[in-house]
Amino acid sequence: MAKDIVKHDGGPPRWFCPVSCGRPLKDSPILLFLPGMDGTGLGLVLHHKALGKAFEVWCLHIPVHDRTPFEGLVKLVEETVRFEHALSPHKPIYLVGDSFGGCLALAVASRNPAIDLVLILSNPATSFGRSQLQPLFPILEAMPDGLHSAVPYLLSSIMGDPVKMAAVNIESSFPPGQRFERLSRSLTGLLPYLSGFDDILPRDTLLWKLKLLKSAAAYANSRLHAVKAEVLVLASGKDNMLPSRDEAERLKNSLQDCIVRHFMDNGHTLLLEDGIGLMTVIKGTNKFRRSRRHSYASDFLPPSMTELNYACDQIIGLLRLASGSILFSTLEDGKIVKGLAGVPNEGPVILVGYHMLMGVELSSLAEGFLREKHIMVRGLAHPALFSRTAMSSSSDFSLTDWMRVFGAVPVTPSNLFKLLSTKSHVLLYPGGSREALHYKGEEYKLFWPDQQEFVRMAARFGATIVPFGVVGEDDVAELVLDYNDLMKIPVVNDLVRDANENAIRVRDEASGEVASQKLFIPLLMPKIPGRFYYLFGKPIKTKGREDILQDKQVANQLYLQVKSEVERQMSFLIKKRQEDPYRSIVDRTLYKAIYAPSHEVPAFEP
């Protein structure tokens, strides 16, 4: 693609909007892409389609023969930022800086602390002074013109992971042989394009860009203290050009509001390699917003099919295979059927159920609603998953990030209010972490608070309550060490105690035993997997039930009815699973081998 725009036209640096991004949606914030050393502005080409659904995307193009100094580029971006801010003062402006562009983004942010900026920096070149390639730069300057044609091949092998680049668009669901064949063909196809680097970075331009990088890094580093913007740093683990992992930690400690996500298998050209999409990272780190503050209701963007398939195959693949989940629901006439036909399509709906050990039932439930009913279930989760400590911990893109991608929100009355007001399907566990982190011998026991916390809120919005039971945790793992066991182990008990001292409390002590839950990570012993079974009960309508709002006793009766329904459904599943001929993973695997992997494995007749 760069071949069409690297021709010498004598023009200055300019912005362009990629056609592949499509028409921006109404009220979309603007995203300005600041390129790396190549200057083409095409570094987001793999992400245009996804980003275009949420942002108005502009990309900066710096012509090959342009010699605008760093301060001039800062002024150009700064003028654009100030103009867009004047047009929409209440919307954030996103700056995505790739390598050199990361220095440019930081410089602009440092000069405009009063403007609401969100910076996303991919392997920022602020560490240029500590680059592993510093000894090679004098050699490049002294290299004869005749040998310079070899430089693009050298740079291409250092800048990115060729295997990761070649793996783009090769589905992980392909059989290993077919995947290897396509990967080999893609790698071979990359070679002829390497010569194109000589057009993008001819000798004079390369030497100029190296000087530009040096001044950019010095300028940005001298002004880090003035950066007030929200910053997300993406750092590659196999960056052979810059010490990006160490630099990410330095920036996290130097900037006022900075979090880091590591991508250990990627090279310097992170945004051009196979892996998690940039839009997914933005959503998973709660960085997408349309106004000054992030709203879990109005700023939520449902996961795409690409994200769903990636999460199912790469993130929860083993659990998905082991659990062999099957979902049942109850129709209005009380008949139990396979699938989710009994759950209303129109919200607001509150799904109220039992939280299995470590919340292992969540992924299959969310996937089931997305695939069968195209409904995104918004789960109310423990606020600890959204705390500054959890968000700022320097780690890989984790399971908790994926939970945010798939709609998890902190469990608060205000968030429940907002979700119901937008007619969402809300997933609620009254037992919360007390059930998800239960002790030995407490599986399938409900620990609900004394107050009817959700019933009156449901009635206020006329929401439909759907109680559900789920069983199967005892079929996949055995609880070896619970909280009581861990507190008997020296050192470990101190770690657990310290973690709970600063833990966020969801309820006060008046809520009964469920309020006194201690957070810990239990020790589990895997078993030969059985199966997860879900049963959604008959919907309970609250629309027109003013008596629930006016009479606490009526509300409490409904609350106890919902709790009783959940217990009844679990009892039903525990009994009926004995009749399932495919409860064992061995039997399910044999069935799939005979009837094709995509064929859904049957279960008992309800």
Side-chain angles (χ1 to χ4, degrees), residues 173-399:
S173 58
F174 288 151
Q178 188 177 353
R179 182 174 170 80
F180 179 77
E181 180 185 347
R182 294 193 178 211
L183 183 62
S184 300
R185 193 161 55 235
S186 183
L187 271 171
T188 305
L190 276 178
L191 294 176
Y193 291 104
L194 296 183
S195 59
F197 277 105
D198 199 26
D199 297 325
I200 298 172
L201 291 173
R203 175 187 169 85
D204 292 344
T205 299
L206 177 59
L207 296 178
W208 165 256
K209 290 294 178 75
L210 291 176
K211 294 177 181 177
L212 197 63
L213 271 173
K214 185 176 180 180
S215 62
Y219 187 101
N221 282 319
S222 69
R223 299 184 63 86
L224 290 180
H225 64 280
V227 176
K228 310 294 184 185
E230 203 175 329
V231 182
L232 168 62
V233 179
L234 313 180
S236 294
K238 295 180 179 178
D239 190 341
N240 295 319
M241 281 199 68
L242 300 171
S244 292
R245 288 179 60 188
D246 295 339
E247 181 64 5
E249 295 302 315
R250 185 183 77 88
L251 290 175
K252 179 188 171 186
N253 295 326
S254 301
L255 298 170
Q256 297 180 24
D257 184 5
C258 178
I259 65 173
V260 174
R261 289 297 181 268
H262 292 291
F263 299 87
M264 304 309 295
D265 295 327
N266 289 87
H268 182 71
T269 52
L270 171 63
L271 298 176
L272 288 173
E273 299 176 11
D274 184 46
I276 301 172
L278 179 59
M279 192 66 228
T280 305
V281 176
I282 292 173
K283 292 194 290 187
T285 51
N286 275 355
K287 291 302 179 188
F288 181 74
R289 52 187 173 88
R290 296 181 178 90
S291 58
R292 276 281 178 182
R293 296 186 62 181
H294 173 80
S295 169
Y296 288 101
S298 60
D299 288 331
F300 175 69
L301 298 173
S304 64
M305 285 304 298
T306 300
E307 289 169 333
L308 174 61
N309 292 332
Y310 185 96
C312 291
D313 294 340
Q314 304 294 323
I315 308 303
I316 58 170
L318 288 177
L319 177 60
R320 188 170 176 243
L321 174 67
S323 62
S325 301
I326 187 159
L327 286 68
F328 298 92
S329 61
T330 309
L331 302 179
E332 290 284 352
D333 60 4
K335 181 182 179 181
I336 298 176
V337 296
K338 187 178 178 181
L340 297 170
V343 180
N345 294 323
E346 299 296 327
V349 172
I350 306 181
L351 308 172
V352 184
Y354 169 71
H355 216 358
M356 285 207 296
L357 186 63
M358 299 295 288
V360 290
E361 81 285 350
L362 286 167
S363 56
S364 294
L365 187 151
E367 182 188 358
F369 272 85
L370 277 170
R371 293 201 186 277
E372 182 176 339
K373 299 181 80 70
H374 306 291
I375 289 174
M376 183 70 252
V377 174
R378 306 298 306 278
L380 295 170
H382 198 288
L385 298 175
F386 305 85
S387 67
R388 179 172 291 272
T389 301
M391 293 293 295
S392 64
S393 59
S394 299
S395 63
D396 298 342
F397 195 77
S398 65
L399 182 59

Side-chain angles (χ1 to χ4, degrees), residues 27-284:
D27 295 328
S28 295
I30 191 168
L31 183 150
L32 305 178
F33 175 63
L34 310 179
M37 192 166 66
D38 63 279
T40 62
L42 295 172
L44 286 183
V45 66
L46 298 181
H47 312 274
H48 284 169
K49 188 175 180 181
L51 291 172
K53 295 178 180 178
F55 297 100
E56 182 180 347
V57 180
W58 293 20
C59 299
L60 180 63
H61 173 65
I62 306 173
V64 173
H65 299 284
D66 180 79
R67 296 296 181 264
T68 303
F70 183 69
E71 290 80 0
L73 295 174
V74 171
K75 185 176 180 181
L76 169 67
V77 178
E78 183 178 61
E79 288 176 350
T80 303
V81 165
R82 290 179 177 178
F83 180 76
E84 290 298 321
H85 175 66
L87 289 178
S88 304
H90 302 296
K91 287 198 296 187
I93 297 174
Y94 285 74
L95 300 180
V96 177
D98 183 16
S99 190
F100 165 77
C103 297
L104 191 52
L106 287 167
V108 172
S110 70
R111 292 161 56 101
N112 297 274
I115 296 179
D116 184 13
L117 297 175
V118 180
L119 272 55
I120 301 170
L121 313 178
S122 176
N123 296 321
T126 44
S127 62
F128 181 71
R130 292 177 282 118
S131 171
Q132 296 93 316
L133 303 182
Q134 284 289 347
L136 293 178
F137 297 146
I139 299 176
L140 290 176
E141 293 181 354
M143 183 178 290
D145 291 342
L147 295 178
H148 182 77
S149 59
V151 172
Y153 293 91
L154 172 65
L155 282 179
S156 63
S157 63
I158 293 172
M159 290 179 67
D161 185 334
V163 176
K164 280 282 187 179
M165 288 185 174
V168 169
N169 294 331
I170 298 179
E171 296 289 342
S172 59
S173 58
F174 288 151
Q178 188 177 353
R179 182 174 170 80
F180 179 77
E181 180 185 347
R182 294 193 178 211
L183 183 62
S184 300
R185 193 161 55 235
S186 183
L187 271 171
T188 305
L190 276 178
L191 294 176
Y193 291 104
L194 296 183
S195 59
F197 277 105
D198 199 26
D199 297 325
I200 298 172
L201 291 173
R203 175 187 169 85
D204 292 344
T205 299
L206 177 59
L207 296 178
W208 165 256
K209 290 294 178 75
L210 291 176
K211 294 177 181 177
L212 197 63
L213 271 173
K214 185 176 180 180
S215 62
Y219 187 101
N221 282 319
S222 69
R223 299 184 63 86
L224 290 180
H225 64 280
V227 176
K228 310 294 184 185
E230 203 175 329
V231 182
L232 168 62
V233 179
L234 313 180
S236 294
K238 295 180 179 178
D239 190 341
N240 295 319
M241 281 199 68
L242 300 171
S244 292
R245 288 179 60 188
D246 295 339
E247 181 64 5
E249 295 302 315
R250 185 183 77 88
L251 290 175
K252 179 188 171 186
N253 295 326
S254 301
L255 298 170
Q256 297 180 24
D257 184 5
C258 178
I259 65 173
V260 174
R261 289 297 181 268
H262 292 291
F263 299 87
M264 304 309 295
D265 295 327
N266 289 87
H268 182 71
T269 52
L270 171 63
L271 298 176
L272 288 173
E273 299 176 11
D274 184 46
I276 301 172
L278 179 59
M279 192 66 228
T280 305
V281 176
I282 292 173
K283 292 194 290 187

